[in-house]
Amino acid sequence: MPYYESPVDGTRLHYVDHGPACGAVAVFVAGAYLGHEMWEHQMLPLAEAGYRCLGLDRRGHGRSDDVWSGYDLDTLADDLQGLLDHLDLREATLIAHSVGTAEVVRCLTRHGSSRVARAALVCGVSPGIIRSQRLPDGLDPAVVRADEEFFRRDRPAWFTHFADAFFAVTSVGNEVSDAYTRYLIDRCLVATPRAATGVRSVVTGLDLTAELPAVDVPVLVVHGTHDTSAPLAHTGERLARLVQDAVLKVYENGGHGLFFTHAERLTADLREFLGAAGATAATTGICRMLAAAGIGG
């Protein structure tokens, strides 16, 4: 299993690298509590189509090291940049979900876009969801505190209680098996209590309003109409207005978990956003020679 060390403190971080080494690069950043496996319905078909797909497990999540510190947005963004530097990636497309979108934004504004060609922000919590001076229509902090108490008291019950809303299962077409729901909850519980509460603190204090106009790469914003975790009007629509070069795609009936309920559509939109380079690279003579020599993904 491949690992690299965080440039901040040496924390050992796990990643996967799927698809041909010479394919167009897509780097996937998961939402809170989840590791790279949440993206299986995008990473597998894109890798099979010739794209090089990398998935990162943030610190305290998935197979990355369980550490006490580093659950602030700057460190998490530095961890992401560390992967780009470690593999010397070029012209990468960053693809993120939920709180991962904030990590991508901070990575771009903190480190620049010399290694990044574009970014796709899916069901993002950016620019922020908690009421503040610049986000007057955000969630009531008192409601957030009560939710935090529930989460700390009984994480398994918290995930189970909000699972249906996460996938918007009461909306037309959003069929999710009990088995998959259980699987995803189990994956969420792999994140350590420290990592889970740390990432929640990032969301609680998030306000990227002033930062988003500095993003200087094309951005695809994907959001669902029935996302109760990050309401469209407060996040996706506002995000698309604040980024200079952004396109917003709204999925009717989509919830926060549209990476599963709308998997085929999301994969198709990501493939279009990535462009044809990945699909064509896999068929080039160079790729075939590398594969024959046992080099690459």
Side-chain angles (χ1 to χ4, degrees):
M1 293 184 292
Y3 290 87
Y4 70 102
E5 292 187 353
S6 164
V8 179
D9 57 9
T11 295
R12 197 176 66 143
L13 302 172
H14 174 254
Y15 68 95
V16 295
D17 188 349
H18 295 160
C22 52
V25 176
V27 179
F28 289 82
V29 184
Y33 323 122
L34 289 164
H36 70 274
E37 66 280 343
M38 70 153 279
W39 290 111
E40 73 169 280
H41 300 288
Q42 286 72 49
M43 288 184 65
L44 180 59
L46 287 172
E48 290 173 338
Y51 298 87
R52 183 183 181 186
C53 296
L54 298 114
L56 168 66
D57 290 347
R58 72 169 58 79
R59 56 179 59 216
H61 291 61
R63 297 172 182 168
S64 289
D65 280 355
D66 173 14
V67 293
W68 179 255
S69 60
Y71 301 103
D72 60 275
L73 191 54
D74 281 351
T75 299
L76 296 173
D78 292 351
D79 287 349
L80 173 57
Q81 182 66 32
L83 177 63
L84 305 181
D85 293 339
H86 174 71
L87 295 175
D88 192 25
L89 300 177
R90 307 285 177 176
E91 295 293 308
T93 298
L94 304 182
I95 301 170
H97 177 262
S98 192
V99 70
T101 66
E103 293 168 63
V104 165
V105 170
R106 180 60 56 85
C107 182
L108 289 169
T109 59
R110 185 170 167 85
H111 295 283
S113 57
S114 62
R115 295 187 179 277
V116 180
R118 62 191 69 81
L121 307 181
V122 181
C123 303
V125 295
S126 305
I129 59 174
I130 312 301
R131 185 183 302 163
S132 66
Q133 185 175 358
R134 286 188 294 196
L135 301 169
D137 52 355
L139 296 175
D140 183 347
V143 173
V144 177
R145 286 193 295 271
D147 184 69
E148 177 71 11
E149 292 175 3
F150 179 15
F151 184 83
R152 285 175 174 264
R153 183 174 64 252
D154 192 339
R155 283 190 302 141
W158 188 91
F159 287 121
T160 301
H161 178 77
F162 289 107
D164 284 355
F166 182 86
F167 292 112
V169 296
T170 59
S171 299
V172 175
N174 293 342
E175 296 180 3
V176 183
S177 69
D178 291 342
Y180 183 78
T181 299
R182 184 70 259 165
Y183 162 75
L184 209 66
I185 291 173
D186 288 345
R187 298 312 304 162
C188 286
L189 291 170
V190 171
T192 67
R194 169 60 178 163
T197 55
V199 170
R200 286 173 66 87
S201 294
V202 170
V203 177
T204 301
L206 190 66
D207 184 353
L208 299 179
T209 307
E211 202 164 325
L212 285 165
V215 173
D216 62 354
V217 297
V219 172
L220 172 65
V221 180
V222 175
H223 222 95
T225 58
H226 288 61
D227 190 332
T228 56
S229 300
L232 172 62
H234 299 164
T235 54
E237 290 180 349
R238 181 177 284 144
L239 170 63
R241 290 196 299 269
L242 289 170
V243 175
Q244 297 180 42
D245 185 4
V247 172
L248 172 63
K249 291 197 174 185
V250 176
Y251 288 15
E252 189 65 32
N253 296 324
H256 207 54
L258 59 75
F259 58 86
F260 180 78
T261 59
H262 294 66
E264 290 186 5
R265 179 178 176 185
L266 177 59
T267 301
D269 282 340
L270 291 176
R271 184 169 182 174
E272 180 182 8
F273 187 57
L274 281 160
T280 57
T283 63
T284 64
I286 294 175
C287 256
R288 286 198 298 270
M289 286 189 293
L290 287 173
I295 302 172

